[in-house]
Amino acid sequence: MTDTEYPPISEQLDDLESAREEGRRKMDWAAQHMPICEHVREEFVAEQPFAGERIGMAMHVEAKTAILVETLAEGGAEVAVTGCNPLSTHDDVSAALDTHENITSYAKRGVDDEEYYAAIEAVIAHEPTITVDDGMDLVAAIHEDYPELIDGIVGGAEETTTGVHRLRAMDADGALEYPVFAVNDTPMKRLFDNVHGTGESSLASIAMTTNLSWAGKNVVVAGYGYCGKGVAKKASGQNANVIVTEVEPRRALEAHMEGYEVMPMAEAAEVGDVFLTTTGNRDVIVEEHFEEMKDGVLLANAGHFDIEIDLEALDDLAVDRYEARDGVEAYELADGRKLNVIAEGRLVNLAAPVSLGHPVEVMDQSFGIQAVCVREMLENGDEYDAGVHDVPDELDKEIAEIKLEAEGVDFDSLTDTQHDYMDSWDHGT
Ligand code: RBV
């Protein structure tokens, strides 16, 4: 057992009762729009697939995530959870979760680096048999500091692009010592959460934070992966003029063929009104770009970590810095231009004060996949070696079918003749 003094959220809040009540109210609202999680929860309650297991989680602790946490707990697991970003936790939801007899929540909004990692250690102190991560901080901490726990870990699941990227790098180095499902990469996650979820929630958060319009703006989207595609499409739908920057030639071409302007960041910097990074890489907007920007631009990041916009360089350039609005920091440069950074350059759809994360419906899909991945790991863990694993296609389809049924959408099935045709090769003109 590892030592930890970091207290659960219930020991950190003053008005615990009202926080719990409000958190529960948010969760009830989310649950009403999460038919997939409801479906799996009913199955888990009946079958108790996680009895005796301990699940450690580091995720954005807000209402939808809380429904996933409860779903796992009601399947018999003891769950310890903390945040995966210092600004994305809703303390009231964290407090509501912490009342559940099978759940301990350490998540708190506004923690510093030290508290953030102390809370991760507190989760690890529960000696998880399964880990569920968003960004891989839990897997990293276990491998680096508590390798003795690895033997007792059946496996894990990872929610996001950046986490899967880190895991694959770790796997390539031969350093990943237990199996982890790449939840991010499965169609029921990536085609919806990354595209529609990031697109809608990033734009909504920026609009609510600034009270400014998209119409007629030059919106620079850095990165045309799944998240960038969603942001570009939705910004275009709000009558913005979308400019895409890319480093990958086929994606640059894809964006061009979609009708967006494609240009290097050095050129986009001169014309953009709003800049939104979605690359997952560091140093995407740096000093040479700040030098060229127009007065009053908005800078925001939708990638998992706050490394895409070089805020240190911006701070060095600035002669003054102040909070222009809740969630907006204005950096004033020597020539009088002001560059406005939203949510400290942290992922804007979760970290701005008004942010609520992705819409409920897409998180129901992502978390439905998470839930069945945990079930799969416990039922068939022996089949998965240490390393990164794709989500089995049958599980992805299972979740799609539950969702379609909940939406009342019927669809076709192949006939036997069609099956035979698709499986054969000896037919032509
Ligand atoms: N994400 N979670 C939420 N709980 O409101 N919103 C987005 C929420 C996840 C999403 O799946 C993405 O992959 C990850 O956050 C980035 O950290």
Side-chain angles (χ1 to χ4, degrees):
M1 190 75 174
T2 43
D3 281 332
T4 173
E5 313 248 299
Y6 194 80
I9 186 75
S10 299
E11 291 169 33
Q12 299 194 49
L13 295 184
D14 293 335
D15 192 355
L16 194 54
E17 272 321 302
S18 59
R20 285 174 170 167
E21 224 172 273
E22 181 55 17
R24 173 48 61 184
R25 200 161 74 110
K26 289 181 179 176
M27 288 165 67
D28 287 346
W29 172 260
Q32 284 171 44
H33 304 273
M34 298 179 81
I36 302 170
C37 284
E38 184 182 341
H39 183 106
V40 242
R41 184 197 290 234
E42 281 168 13
E43 179 199 307
F44 289 175
V45 166
E47 294 173 11
Q48 294 294 293
F50 312 137
E53 302 296 333
R54 293 180 302 278
I55 302 179
M57 303 175 73
M59 300 198 108
H60 303 292
V61 177
E62 54 67 64
K64 291 144 300 184
T65 309
I67 299 302
L68 171 65
V69 176
E70 270 195 349
T71 301
L72 298 174
E74 286 174 19
E78 275 192 36
V79 186
V81 60
T82 183
C84 66
N85 181 295
L87 293 181
S88 64
T89 296
H90 290 219
D91 288 353
D92 46 11
V93 171
S94 182
L97 269 183
D98 202 43
T99 60
H100 194 290
E101 61 175 350
N102 284 3
I103 299 170
T104 313
S105 180
Y106 298 96
K108 188 166 189 300
R109 187 172 199 273
V111 287
D112 61 25
D113 266 13
E114 200 180 317
E115 293 165 317
Y116 179 83
Y117 286 107
I120 291 210
E121 300 217 344
V123 167
I124 295 173
H126 289 254
E127 303 191 352
T129 53
I130 291 273
T131 60
V132 180
D133 250 315
D134 182 329
M136 210 204 82
D137 284 348
L138 203 48
V139 167
I142 288 170
H143 280 73
E144 277 162 24
D145 302 322
Y146 302 95
E148 69 278 9
L149 296 182
I150 289 172
D151 270 354
I153 298 180
V154 184
E158 167 56 52
E159 171 79 6
T160 201
T161 316
T162 292
V164 169
H165 193 86
R166 287 177 83 189
L167 283 166
R168 290 198 194 283
M170 198 173 170
D171 198 8
D173 274 352
L176 179 59
E177 291 187 38
Y178 62 83
V180 183
F181 281 123
V183 169
N184 179 75
D185 293 1
T186 204
M188 280 298 284
K189 199 280 185 183
R190 174 152 76 180
L191 299 179
F192 303 92
D193 174 313
N194 301 31
V195 178
H196 297 281
T198 309
E200 289 187 22
S201 64
S202 302
L203 296 191
S205 297
I206 294 170
M208 290 299 293
T209 301
T210 61
N211 200 18
L212 297 174
S213 171
W214 293 105
K217 293 270 189 341
N218 288 336
V219 175
V220 179
V221 181
Y224 199 64
Y226 287 89
C227 294
K229 285 189 171 93
V231 171
K233 188 183 179 71
K234 310 279 174 178
S236 175
Q238 296 266 31
N239 299 355
N241 172 42
V242 174
I243 297 168
V244 170
T245 71
E246 246 304 338
V247 293
E248 211 284 338
R250 291 154 303 180
R251 287 186 175 168
L253 187 57
E254 222 184 332
H256 171 70
M257 297 290 275
E258 203 61 44
Y260 304 124
E261 286 184 65
V262 179
M263 60 180 81
M265 183 59 84
E267 285 172 38
E270 296 173 19
V271 293
D273 298 303
V274 185
F275 295 80
L276 193 46
T277 52
T278 71
T279 72
N281 209 334
R282 57 175 305 141
D283 305 334
V284 177
I285 302 182
V286 296
E287 183 175 346
E288 60 169 292
H289 306 129
F290 301 136
E291 307 270 21
E292 302 304 325
M293 286 179 182
K294 299 193 286 189
D295 181 30
V297 298
L298 306 179
L299 300 168
N301 164 51
H304 184 77
F305 287 121
D306 59 339
I307 44 156
E308 307 210 13
I309 306 170
D310 187 354
L311 289 182
E312 267 179 42
L314 184 56
D315 195 38
D316 288 345
L317 283 181
V319 292
D320 191 18
R321 214 181 122 166
Y322 59 94
E323 194 179 33
R325 282 172 69 82
D326 213 12
V328 183
E329 185 85 352
Y331 289 71
E332 193 173 328
L333 307 185
D335 58 11
R337 283 178 300 138
K338 292 187 213 50
L339 312 189
N340 298 298
V341 176
I342 304 179
E344 302 175 21
R346 294 195 185 270
L347 85 177
V348 68
N349 60 323
L350 282 142
V354 296
S355 295
L356 298 170
H358 288 3
V360 182
E361 295 91 332
V362 291
M363 293 319 295
D364 187 32
Q365 294 187 192
S366 305
F367 292 156
I369 298 280
Q370 285 284 5
V372 293
C373 278
V374 173
R375 184 190 68 194
E376 172 69 9
M377 206 46 104
L378 286 167
E379 276 175 2
N380 300 311
D382 299 349
E383 292 173 19
Y384 300 98
D385 299 336
V388 181
H389 293 270
D390 288 339
V391 174
D393 224 29
E394 313 78 69
L395 296 188
D396 204 56
K397 284 190 192 153
E398 176 187 335
I399 295 303
E401 283 173 12
I402 298 171
K403 174 77 176 181
L404 285 166
E405 196 184 326
E407 295 273 309
V409 178
D410 223 349
F411 66 110
D412 286 324
S413 308
L414 294 177
T415 62
D416 289 345
T417 317
Q418 286 176 315
H419 261 302
D420 290 347
Y421 182 83
M422 294 307 284
D423 289 345
S424 66
W425 55 270
D426 56 351
H427 52 74
T429 309

